[in-house]
Amino acid sequence: VAVRWRCRHPRLKPAGAAALILSLCLARVARAETPSISNPASPNAAALADLYNVILFIAIGVFLLVQGLIIYAALNFRRRASDPEPVQVHGNTRIELVWTLVPLVIVIVITLLSYRTLRATATPASADALVINVIGHQWWWEFQHTDPDFATANELVVPVGRLVRLNLASADVIHSFWVPQLAGKMDLVPGVQQGEPRHLGYGQNALWFVAQAEGRYEGQCAEFCGAQHSGMRLTIVAKRPPEYEAWLAVQQAPAEAPAAGSAAARGLELMKAKGCQGCHAIDGVPEMVGRVGPDLTHVASRERLAGGTFENTTANLTSWVDNPQQLKPGALMPELPVSAAEIADIVAYLESLR
Ligand SMILES: [Cu+2]
């Protein structure tokens, strides 16, 4: 953009250019992207985005006014060698009233708008909400579906248009659930007993949303929770109701038994022998009941694994089972003594868990 203007102060030009670049950057950030708070897809997230925009524009106005006055004053009233001592001013009631009352009015307006937003985002009581217990772990997300009962990890699949209620709790330290396009931020507080959140119902940290369009909504743990805090991402996948029903039918079924004598069958036996069963559960395999790590019943149906740190591909699974620390240093899954041939069998079994 070529802006030409006649200006007494040549230094104003670079300042103007910098302001222009800054505005372009802001516009780019606010554009439709995921994750983004400026691209809401649920009514409560839209209420938050509205409040955010109002505060952002007030802040931009105040910023431009204050910076403009500073630049104006610095350029026009700076001291020159010939200047006499300026008039000394002690107090100016009118100006002081203005700079006290204007901020007061701004803060009152923001307070009232915030109350309105709090009411718009309060969890609605609805008997037919889809209830999901979300449990934060260092450094992955457990989703316990309650009707019917089954568990998944890191990718939460929901139907478009249905009220979803999330009960939030943590198995270790404080985490924070944040999928900005669908809801605000909420802490997951330690308090999980025998794998279930302790205070279901009243007093339970909870969030809600209604996904208004199908798509993948990215999120991130928003409370520093240890070495792999940045590797604790999640995705909410909103599907149209028929596709959701099809997904549900697959997920609630137990894992299929591998064909006798196949690589997958050897892989399953290896998993029971190598210690995987102490930390992972597979519905349909009585020995696999661990709850330290993600439920693997349908692990092959997930696009990304381990808190969204890697794509669910044969190469990545092989590297992960060989030594998880290569893909996610610090992850709470140990390196287990498995040979390359054994890993290939285990990966064949994992990939059969569709
Ligand atoms: Cu976390």
Side-chain angles (χ1 to χ4, degrees), residues 86-221:
V87 187
Q88 300 299 303
V89 180
H90 298 282
N92 181 322
T93 314
R94 198 179 298 164
I95 292 181
E96 283 165 17
L97 272 178
V98 168
W99 76 44
T100 307
L101 291 179
V102 170
L104 186 68
V105 169
I106 293 178
V107 170
I108 289 174
V109 167
I110 292 177
T111 305
L112 294 177
L113 290 175
S114 301
Y115 275 121
R116 201 181 63 174
T117 311
L118 277 177
R119 285 179 56 179
T121 55
T123 312
S126 168
D128 56 25
L130 180 66
V131 178
I132 290 161
N133 295 333
V134 179
I135 300 181
H137 295 260
Q138 284 175 317
W139 291 278
W140 59 282
W141 302 88
E142 177 179 353
F143 300 116
Q144 298 177 349
H145 292 247
T146 55
D147 178 29
D149 277 329
F150 65 90
T152 65
N154 301 315
E155 279 181 5
L156 175 60
V157 179
V158 296
V160 170
R162 172 113 182 253
L163 176 64
V164 179
R165 182 195 158 100
L166 306 174
N167 293 320
L168 308 171
S170 166
D172 36 53
V173 300
I174 296 177
H175 301 278
S176 178
F177 187 95
W178 195 37
V179 181
Q181 285 167 280
L182 296 176
K185 241 180 230 174
M186 182 72 77
D187 277 3
L188 296 91
V189 178
V192 173
Q193 284 171 350
Q194 278 115 40
E196 306 288 338
R198 192 153 35 119
H199 327 278
L200 281 182
Y202 184 75
Q204 169 80 48
N205 271 9
L207 275 178
W208 66 278
F209 64 87
V210 180
Q212 290 162 322
E214 57 184 315
R216 293 176 70 83
Y217 302 99
E218 304 298 337
Q220 165 74 49
C221 175

Side-chain angles (χ1 to χ4, degrees), residues 315-332:
N316 284 340
L317 270 178
T318 305
S319 162
W320 178 259
V321 178
D322 178 28
N323 181 6
Q325 308 301 316
Q326 300 165 52
L327 286 169
K328 193 171 182 181
L332 298 181

Side-chain angles (χ1 to χ4, degrees), residues 26-49:
L26 274 177
R28 160 119 187 97
V29 170
R31 234 193 43 189
E33 273 176 3
T34 179
S36 163
I37 57 167
S38 304
N39 186 19
S42 172
N44 50 340
L48 289 169

